[in-house]
Amino acid sequence: TKQLVREDIKSIINNTKGLSAIVVYDTDFNQLGSYKSANKASKELNIADTTIKRYAVSKQLYKNYYFRLKFDDEIAESKYLEEFMKC
């Protein structure tokens, strides 16, 4: 099953043009930038777009950067707001 997940992630990385809007954070989760696609972020940060996609999907740290899909960011924010509203 882990192999299947890896293959799915590889497929996503290799078969998408821009994947999604990308948000970049530092290690303290301060937002450093927002880009319309991994390709745009790649050009600005001089990091391969496949690397940005891989780390955005895995949510792991890459050289003092966290890459997040904007969609994931919005889901996390809405979950947080939903919990906040319950208080």
Side-chain angles (χ1 to χ4, degrees):
T1 58
K2 283 187 179 182
Q3 183 63 29
L4 181 60
V5 171
R6 286 186 190 142
E7 292 303 316
D8 289 344
I9 290 172
K10 272 187 184 177
S11 176
I12 290 169
I13 291 166
N14 293 327
N15 295 314
T16 56
K17 296 281 186 221
L19 192 63
S20 171
I22 299 289
V23 183
V24 182
Y25 296 94
D26 66 12
T27 55
D28 294 323
F29 291 98
N30 297 309
Q31 186 175 332
L32 300 176
S34 184
Y35 303 91
K36 290 184 179 186
S37 69
N39 294 333
K40 300 266 187 206
S42 171
K43 290 175 185 170
E44 183 78 25
L45 301 170
N46 200 26
I47 298 170
D49 66 326
T50 53
T51 300
I52 292 171
K53 292 175 192 177
R54 183 179 318 118
Y55 282 88
V57 170
S58 71
K59 297 183 169 119
Q60 294 178 336
L61 181 67
Y62 175 79
K63 295 185 178 181
N64 295 322
Y65 293 114
Y66 283 105
F67 301 106
R68 294 290 188 265
L69 303 176
K70 187 166 177 56
F71 181 73
D72 286 346
D73 232 29
E74 290 167 352
I75 289 172
E77 184 176 314
S78 81
K79 284 182 181 175
Y80 172 77
L81 288 174
E82 187 176 304
E83 289 301 312
F84 180 74
M85 296 302 285
K86 289 179 184 176
C87 294

